[in-house]
Amino acid sequence: MGFNNWNSTHCRAEFNEAMVEGIADAFVSQGLKDAGYTYVNIDDCWALPNRDANGNLVPDPVRFPHGIKAVADYVHSKGLKFGLYSSAGTKTCDTQGFPGGLGHEQQDAALWASWGVDYLKYDNCNNNGVDARQRYEAMGDALRATGRPILYSICEWGENQPWNWAPGYGNSWRTTGDISDSWSSMIGIAHHNQPLAPYAKPGAWNDPDMLEVGNGGMTDTEYRTHFSLWAQMAAPLLIGSDLRNVSSATLNILRNTDVIAVDQDALGRQGTVVSSSGGLVVMSRPLADGGRSVTLTNENTTAKTVSTTAEAIGLGGAASYSLRDLWSKQTSTTTGAISASVPAHGTVMYRVTPGTPVPPPTGVDQLGDLPWTSAVNGWGPVERNLSNGEQAAGDGHTLTINGTTYAKGLGTHAASDIAYYLGGTCSRLTVSAGVDDEAGGTKGSVVFRVYRDDTLVADSGRMTGTDPAKTLTADLTGGLELRLVVTDSEDGIDYDHADWAEPRLTCA
């Protein structure tokens, strides 16, 4: 969370030392520091076009007459952190052609650390065709070698699928090209970033670019959608407007601590699309307290009703649910239906908290027929009595493991975690576990684990698409909660379609 000047100033003359220090002042005076914003970052055009005789970068003496270290010291004096910009090429992205970091990684990183830099945005221009991993790994190694904690923001625009390799080098990676201050740009970037939810985790984030909130190209309703979706997608919240002269409406959006709490939730899971039809989009995000945040977005140009259910967003098993509207601050309860009239280009955002769960009925039941209390899945929703399929609900097929079909069960995709409330009334689970044939034979490699509360009571070991189903039996006696967990076995999450086939639960 923080600020970057590019969206409001680009490379114009008003980008200078006074502006950056004024932003740091505004963080404190306008309550943004208290709301969690930490980094005051500068973008391209801070340096002179040429290095000095020793090959070092030189701050532009007109823009920064006291140098970068003095600005970093000022930012630090406010209890904030300071970030700057470079490019993994011979020159940066601005047409004036400031020096990039390619071939100067260790020299530049050491210089930045000596200035007190806490954050690096590393762009992708003028890279001379050098392999992206090589370029970004070199700077990551150089930053670590300084011994100073520096957040490393890889700005590769998603061109080489950085979500597959950037977590090994940096803390975030751009998934798209640059945002602009318009509804079409913002919502298009959201659409591009949404399917990448499985790759986000604590310390490693999808970055759909900086915020345009307050720059004037969208309505306040559209800016609320912008802010809501970025929070729901666990994205960095880097303010892109000049905080010295923004409206009170803009500040109210940027300081919405309920929405910020979703963005910063400790579980660190990016929200996923659970339904999308006719411009009505529902996203659900699991939260550390066991609840969910849900966004109901209307991408149409007229008001519409957007609806979903507690089960569809990954909750179930409770008699009622509390809904808190994170923009209006109103609270209500529901037995499962979640719905709102949403204005054109608007978003209603709820925090959904389940009430007391209900234990399973007496006897032997198929888990696929019972309500779970929560379900998190790596690719699309958990499917009842179908394989995982793709990202839409109900798009799976008959559960099939190594040629054997099953009528009942749960179709999942690593990483997944499904919880059921037992209430101490159940004694046994028996299930056939395996990789579904829709993964493609030799593809897919997962581990199935069953937990009674925090105790591991069954473990499949590594399984692939070539293995027959494995029968797991778990003792659940006295347990309050059952958890079915599927993890990737370190081969990558592609094709990890995992079936809990014929899961029979015996209770009371």
Side-chain angles (χ1 to χ4, degrees), residues 92-108:
T92 64
C93 291
D94 190 81
T95 56
Q96 297 175 67
F98 301 98
L102 188 63
H104 293 266
E105 291 86 0
Q106 293 185 4
Q107 181 177 18
D108 289 353

Side-chain angles (χ1 to χ4, degrees), residues 227-252:
F227 199 68
S228 299
L229 295 183
W230 262 234
Q232 191 76 331
M233 295 188 296
L237 299 180
L238 292 174
I239 298 167
S241 51
D242 188 340
L243 293 167
R244 299 171 300 172
N245 51 34
V246 294
S247 68
S248 59
T250 292
L251 288 172
N252 287 338

Side-chain angles (χ1 to χ4, degrees), residues 44-63:
D44 202 355
C45 308
W46 61 266
L48 287 178
N50 295 295
R51 295 173 180 267
D52 67 14
N54 296 317
N56 287 316
L57 297 165
V58 181
D60 184 331
V62 175
R63 293 185 191 273

Side-chain angles (χ1 to χ4, degrees), residues 143 243 253 420:
L143 293 174
L243 293 167
I253 293 171
Y420 290 85

Side-chain angles (χ1 to χ4, degrees), residues 237-445:
L237 299 180
L238 292 174
I239 298 167
S241 51
D242 188 340
L243 293 167
R244 299 171 300 172
N245 51 34
V246 294
S247 68
S248 59
T250 292
L251 288 172
N252 287 338
I253 293 171
L254 296 173
R255 293 185 307 210
N256 187 324
T257 53
D258 287 329
V259 177
I260 290 170
V262 169
D263 180 76
Q264 297 289 304
D265 185 75
L267 188 62
R269 296 294 295 263
Q270 180 174 323
T272 57
V273 175
V274 297
S275 66
S276 178
S277 178
L280 309 181
V281 183
V282 178
M283 292 183 69
S284 173
R285 178 176 178 182
L287 303 174
D289 65 1
R292 294 288 188 278
S293 59
V294 58
T295 50
L296 310 178
T297 300
N298 174 19
E299 299 180 3
N300 297 282
T301 55
T302 57
K304 301 284 185 180
T305 297
V306 186
S307 302
T308 188
T309 64
E311 181 176 9
I313 66 169
L315 295 175
S320 65
Y321 304 84
S322 169
L323 301 180
R324 175 172 173 79
D325 187 319
L326 303 189
W327 289 106
S328 74
K329 311 303 181 185
Q330 295 180 339
T331 58
S332 58
T333 59
T334 177
T335 57
I338 301 171
S339 184
S341 177
V342 184
H345 291 183
T347 294
V348 171
M349 188 172 189
Y350 289 118
R351 192 175 185 116
V352 186
T353 305
T356 304
V358 178
T362 297
V364 180
D365 288 283
Q366 289 276 353
L367 278 185
D369 298 333
L370 300 177
W372 51 63
T373 52
S374 68
V376 176
N377 200 44
W379 189 256
V382 174
E383 297 284 7
R384 294 184 184 276
N385 306 321
L386 293 172
S387 63
N388 182 85
E390 293 297 333
Q391 286 198 292
D395 64 359
H397 309 91
T398 300
L399 295 161
T400 308
I401 303 172
N402 208 240
T404 301
T405 60
Y406 302 85
K408 296 283 189 175
L410 301 168
T412 72
H413 192 294
S416 65
D417 190 333
I418 311 169
Y420 290 85
Y421 177 68
L422 303 179
T425 67
C426 301
S427 59
R428 179 184 176 92
L429 172 73
T430 302
V431 60
S432 296
V435 175
D436 196 277
D437 287 358
E438 73 181 1
T442 60
K443 296 178 180 178
S445 58

